[in-house]
Amino acid sequence: MSTPEGPRRVRVTSPRTSAARRPIMPTGTREIDEQTRLGQVYMQSLIQSQLRLTLAVIGSVVLVLGSIPMLFWLVPPTRTLSVLGLPLPWVILGILVYPVVYVAARIYVRNAERIETEFTEFVGRQ
């Protein structure tokens, strides 16, 4: 008994299977993940940028808020001046301090996000 043979199977492959593969270039994220020296440099750069921003914002806030006692000391009439029936020191310390802190926080967050976005784009390109 002979069995009829069906169509013969053919294996189809890409003509590029025998071509040399491109070497995989290490990316910045891979350098960071593998904790190589270059990855450490990337992370130190990010941390230093964030530290500079933090110190600049804190320094600005301390300078602005620290100048309030100097204002009262150097200009004595400000100690007794009233605004809308409230003493000026109360107005400054009880009301005007909060917008200064809020603006400083907004500036910090916006710039921190910008630094992180730039870092992510840079590391992704590497």
Side-chain angles (χ1 to χ4, degrees), residues 71-116:
L71 170 72
F72 297 142
W73 182 65
L74 294 174
V75 186
T78 58
R79 297 181 213 160
T80 58
L81 190 63
S82 291
V83 176
L84 300 172
L86 294 172
L88 181 62
W90 287 19
V91 171
I92 291 175
L93 296 173
I95 298 171
L96 297 180
V97 167
Y98 296 103
V100 170
V101 172
Y102 177 77
V103 168
R106 294 287 299 179
I107 289 170
Y108 176 79
V109 168
R110 187 174 348 117
N111 286 319
E113 288 174 348
R114 179 187 51 81
I115 288 171
E116 290 174 4

Coordinates of all heavy atoms in Angstrom, one line a residue, residues 71-116:
L71 N 13.9 94.7 58.2 CA 13.0 95.9 57.9 C 12.5 96.5 59.2 O 12.5 97.7 59.3 CB 11.9 95.4 57.0 CG 10.7 96.4 56.8 CD1 11.2 97.5 55.8 CD2 9.5 95.7 56.2
F72 N 12.0 95.7 60.1 CA 11.5 96.2 61.3 C 12.6 96.9 62.2 O 12.3 97.9 62.9 CB 10.8 95.2 62.1 CG 9.6 94.6 61.5 CD1 9.3 93.2 61.6 CD2 8.7 95.4 60.7 CE1 8.2 92.7 60.9 CE2 7.6 94.8 60.1 CZ 7.4 93.5 60.2
W73 N 13.8 96.4 62.1 CA 14.9 96.9 62.9 C 15.4 98.2 62.3 O 15.7 99.2 63.0 CB 16.0 95.9 63.0 CG 17.1 96.3 63.9 CD1 17.1 96.6 65.2 CD2 18.4 96.5 63.4 NE1 18.4 96.9 65.6 CE2 19.2 96.9 64.5 CE3 19.1 96.4 62.2 CZ2 20.6 97.2 64.5 CZ3 20.4 96.7 62.1 CH2 21.2 97.1 63.2
L74 N 15.6 98.2 61.0 CA 16.2 99.4 60.3 C 15.2 100.5 60.1 O 15.6 101.7 60.0 CB 16.7 99.0 58.9 CG 17.9 98.1 59.0 CD1 18.3 97.6 57.6 CD2 19.1 98.7 59.7
V75 N 13.9 100.2 60.0 CA 12.8 101.3 59.8 C 11.8 101.2 61.0 O 10.8 100.5 60.8 CB 12.2 101.1 58.4 CG1 11.2 102.2 58.2 CG2 13.2 100.9 57.3
P76 N 12.1 101.8 62.1 CA 11.3 101.7 63.3 C 9.8 102.0 63.1 O 9.0 101.4 63.7 CB 11.9 102.6 64.3 CG 13.4 102.7 63.9 CD 13.3 102.6 62.4
P77 N 9.5 103.0 62.2 CA 8.0 103.3 62.0 C 7.2 102.1 61.5 O 6.0 102.0 61.7 CB 8.0 104.4 61.0 CG 9.3 105.1 61.1 CD 10.3 104.0 61.5
T78 N 7.9 101.1 60.9 CA 7.1 100.0 60.4 C 6.6 99.1 61.5 O 5.6 98.4 61.3 CB 8.0 99.1 59.5 OG1 9.1 98.7 60.2 CG2 8.4 99.8 58.2
R79 N 7.2 99.3 62.7 CA 6.7 98.5 63.8 C 5.3 98.9 64.3 O 4.6 98.1 64.8 CB 7.7 98.6 65.0 CG 9.0 98.0 64.7 CD 9.9 98.2 65.9 NE 11.3 98.4 65.5 CZ 12.3 98.9 66.2 NH1 12.0 99.3 67.4 NH2 13.5 99.1 65.7
T80 N 5.0 100.2 64.1 CA 3.7 100.7 64.6 C 2.8 101.0 63.5 O 1.6 101.4 63.8 CB 4.0 101.9 65.5 OG1 4.7 102.9 64.7 CG2 4.8 101.6 66.7
L81 N 3.1 100.9 62.3 CA 2.3 101.2 61.2 C 1.1 100.2 61.1 O 1.3 99.0 61.4 CB 3.1 101.2 59.9 CG 2.4 101.7 58.6 CD1 2.1 103.2 58.8 CD2 3.3 101.5 57.4
S82 N -0.1 100.7 60.8 CA -1.3 99.9 60.6 C -1.7 99.8 59.2 O -1.7 100.8 58.5 CB -2.4 100.4 61.5 OG -2.1 100.2 62.9
V83 N -2.2 98.6 58.8 CA -2.8 98.4 57.5 C -4.2 97.8 57.7 O -4.3 96.7 58.2 CB -1.9 97.5 56.6 CG1 -2.6 97.2 55.3 CG2 -0.5 98.1 56.4
L84 N -5.2 98.5 57.3 CA -6.6 98.1 57.4 C -6.9 97.7 58.9 O -7.6 96.7 59.2 CB -6.9 96.9 56.5 CG -6.7 97.1 55.0 CD1 -6.9 95.8 54.3 CD2 -7.7 98.1 54.5
G85 N -6.3 98.5 59.8 CA -6.6 98.3 61.2 C -5.7 97.2 61.9 O -5.8 97.0 63.1
L86 N -4.9 96.6 61.1 CA -4.0 95.6 61.6 C -2.5 96.1 61.6 O -2.1 96.8 60.7 CB -4.0 94.3 60.8 CG -5.3 93.5 60.8 CD1 -5.3 92.4 59.8 CD2 -5.6 93.0 62.2
P87 N -1.8 95.8 62.7 CA -0.4 96.2 62.7 C 0.4 95.6 61.5 O 0.2 94.4 61.1 CB 0.2 95.7 64.0 CG -1.0 95.3 64.8 CD -2.1 95.1 63.9
L88 N 1.3 96.4 60.9 CA 2.0 95.9 59.7 C 2.8 94.6 60.0 O 2.8 93.7 59.1 CB 3.0 97.0 59.2 CG 3.8 96.6 58.0 CD1 2.9 96.4 56.8 CD2 4.8 97.7 57.6
P89 N 3.5 94.4 61.1 CA 4.2 93.2 61.3 C 3.2 91.9 61.3 O 3.6 90.9 60.7 CB 4.8 93.3 62.7 CG 4.9 94.8 62.9 CD 3.8 95.4 62.2
W90 N 2.0 92.1 61.8 CA 1.0 91.0 61.7 C 0.6 90.7 60.3 O 0.5 89.6 59.9 CB -0.2 91.3 62.5 CG 0.0 91.3 64.0 CD1 1.1 91.4 64.7 CD2 -1.1 91.2 65.0 NE1 0.9 91.3 66.1 CE2 -0.5 91.2 66.2 CE3 -2.5 91.1 64.9 CZ2 -1.2 91.1 67.4 CZ3 -3.2 91.0 66.1 CH2 -2.6 91.0 67.3
V91 N 0.4 91.8 59.5 CA 0.0 91.6 58.1 C 1.1 90.9 57.3 O 0.9 89.9 56.6 CB -0.3 93.0 57.4 CG1 -0.5 92.8 55.9 CG2 -1.5 93.6 58.1
I92 N 2.4 91.3 57.6 CA 3.5 90.7 56.8 C 3.7 89.2 57.3 O 3.8 88.3 56.5 CB 4.8 91.5 57.0 CG1 4.6 92.8 56.3 CG2 6.0 90.7 56.5 CD1 5.8 93.8 56.5
L93 N 3.8 89.0 58.6 CA 4.1 87.7 59.1 C 2.9 86.7 59.0 O 3.0 85.5 58.9 CB 4.6 87.8 60.5 CG 5.9 88.5 60.7 CD1 6.2 88.7 62.2 CD2 7.0 87.8 60.0
G94 N 1.7 87.3 59.1 CA 0.5 86.4 59.2 C -0.2 86.2 57.8 O -0.9 85.2 57.6
I95 N 0.1 87.1 56.8 CA -0.6 87.0 55.6 C 0.4 86.9 54.4 O 0.3 86.0 53.6 CB -1.6 88.2 55.4 CG1 -2.6 88.1 56.4 CG2 -2.2 88.1 54.0 CD1 -3.5 89.4 56.5
L96 N 1.3 87.8 54.3 CA 2.2 87.9 53.1 C 3.3 86.9 53.0 O 3.9 86.7 52.0 CB 2.8 89.3 53.1 CG 1.8 90.5 52.9 CD1 2.6 91.8 52.9 CD2 1.0 90.3 51.7
V97 N 3.6 86.2 54.1 CA 4.6 85.1 54.1 C 4.1 84.0 53.3 O 4.9 83.4 52.5 CB 4.9 84.7 55.5 CG1 5.7 83.4 55.5 CG2 5.7 85.8 56.2
Y98 N 2.9 83.6 53.3 CA 2.3 82.4 52.6 C 2.4 82.5 51.1 O 2.8 81.5 50.5 CB 0.9 82.1 53.1 CG 1.0 81.7 54.6 CD1 0.5 82.7 55.6 CD2 1.5 80.5 55.0 CE1 0.6 82.4 56.9 CE2 1.5 80.2 56.4 CZ 1.1 81.1 57.3 OH 1.1 80.8 58.6
P99 N 2.1 83.6 50.5 CA 2.3 83.7 49.0 C 3.7 83.6 48.6 O 4.0 83.0 47.6 CB 1.7 85.1 48.7 CG 0.7 85.4 49.7 CD 1.3 84.8 51.0
V100 N 4.6 84.1 49.5 CA 6.1 84.0 49.1 C 6.5 82.5 49.1 O 7.1 82.0 48.2 CB 6.9 84.8 50.2 CG1 8.4 84.4 50.0 CG2 6.7 86.2 50.0
V101 N 6.0 81.7 50.2 CA 6.3 80.3 50.2 C 5.7 79.6 49.1 O 6.3 78.7 48.5 CB 5.9 79.8 51.6 CG1 6.1 78.2 51.7 CG2 6.7 80.4 52.7
Y102 N 4.4 79.9 48.8 CA 3.7 79.2 47.7 C 4.4 79.4 46.4 O 4.6 78.5 45.6 CB 2.3 79.7 47.6 CG 1.5 79.1 46.5 CD1 1.0 77.8 46.5 CD2 1.3 79.9 45.3 CE1 0.3 77.3 45.5 CE2 0.6 79.3 44.2 CZ 0.1 78.0 44.3 OH -0.5 77.5 43.3
V103 N 4.8 80.7 46.1 CA 5.5 81.0 44.8 C 6.8 80.2 44.8 O 7.2 79.7 43.7 CB 5.7 82.5 44.6 CG1 6.7 82.8 43.5 CG2 4.3 83.2 44.4
A104 N 7.6 80.2 45.9 CA 8.8 79.5 45.9 C 8.6 78.0 45.6 O 9.4 77.4 44.9 CB 9.5 79.7 47.2
A105 N 7.6 77.4 46.2 CA 7.3 76.0 46.0 C 6.9 75.8 44.5 O 7.4 74.8 43.9 CB 6.2 75.6 46.9
R106 N 6.1 76.6 43.9 CA 5.8 76.5 42.5 C 7.0 76.5 41.6 O 7.2 75.8 40.7 CB 4.7 77.5 42.1 CG 3.4 77.4 42.7 CD 2.6 76.3 42.2 NE 2.4 76.5 40.8 CZ 1.7 75.7 40.0 NH1 1.2 74.6 40.5 NH2 1.6 75.9 38.7
I107 N 7.9 77.5 41.9 CA 9.1 77.7 41.1 C 9.9 76.4 41.2 O 10.5 75.9 40.3 CB 9.9 78.9 41.6 CG1 9.1 80.2 41.1 CG2 11.3 78.9 41.0 CD1 9.7 81.4 41.7
Y108 N 10.1 75.9 42.5 CA 10.9 74.7 42.7 C 10.3 73.5 41.9 O 11.0 72.8 41.2 CB 10.9 74.3 44.2 CG 11.7 73.0 44.4 CD1 13.1 73.0 44.4 CD2 11.0 71.9 44.6 CE1 13.7 71.8 44.5 CE2 11.7 70.7 44.8 CZ 13.0 70.7 44.7 OH 13.7 69.5 44.9
V109 N 9.0 73.3 42.0 CA 8.4 72.1 41.4 C 8.5 72.2 39.8 O 8.9 71.2 39.2 CB 6.9 71.9 41.8 CG1 6.2 70.9 40.9 CG2 6.8 71.5 43.2
R110 N 8.3 73.4 39.3 CA 8.4 73.6 37.8 C 9.8 73.3 37.3 O 10.0 72.6 36.4 CB 7.9 75.0 37.4 CG 7.9 75.2 35.9 CD 7.3 76.5 35.5 NE 6.7 77.3 36.5 CZ 7.1 78.5 36.8 NH1 8.2 79.0 36.3 NH2 6.4 79.2 37.7
N111 N 10.8 73.9 38.0 CA 12.2 73.6 37.6 C 12.6 72.2 37.9 O 13.4 71.7 37.1 CB 13.1 74.7 38.3 CG 12.9 76.0 37.7 OD1 12.8 76.2 36.5 ND2 12.9 77.1 38.6
A112 N 12.2 71.6 39.0 CA 12.6 70.2 39.2 C 12.0 69.3 38.1 O 12.7 68.4 37.7 CB 12.1 69.8 40.6
E113 N 10.8 69.5 37.7 CA 10.2 68.7 36.6 C 10.9 69.0 35.3 O 11.2 68.0 34.6 CB 8.7 69.1 36.5 CG 7.9 68.5 37.6 CD 6.4 68.9 37.5 OE1 6.1 69.9 36.7 OE2 5.6 68.4 38.3
R114 N 11.4 70.2 35.1 CA 12.1 70.5 33.9 C 13.5 69.8 33.9 O 13.9 69.2 32.9 CB 12.4 72.0 33.7 CG 13.2 72.4 32.5 CD 13.5 73.9 32.5 NE 14.1 74.4 33.7 CZ 15.4 74.2 34.0 NH1 16.2 73.6 33.2 NH2 15.9 74.7 35.1
I115 N 14.1 69.8 35.0 CA 15.4 69.1 35.1 C 15.2 67.6 34.9 O 16.0 67.0 34.2 CB 16.1 69.3 36.5 CG1 16.6 70.8 36.6 CG2 17.2 68.3 36.8 CD1 17.0 71.2 38.0
E116 N 14.2 67.0 35.5 CA 14.0 65.6 35.3 C 13.6 65.2 33.9 O 14.0 64.2 33.3 CB 12.9 65.1 36.3 CG 13.4 65.1 37.7 CD 12.2 64.8 38.7 OE1 11.1 64.5 38.2 OE2 12.5 64.8 39.9

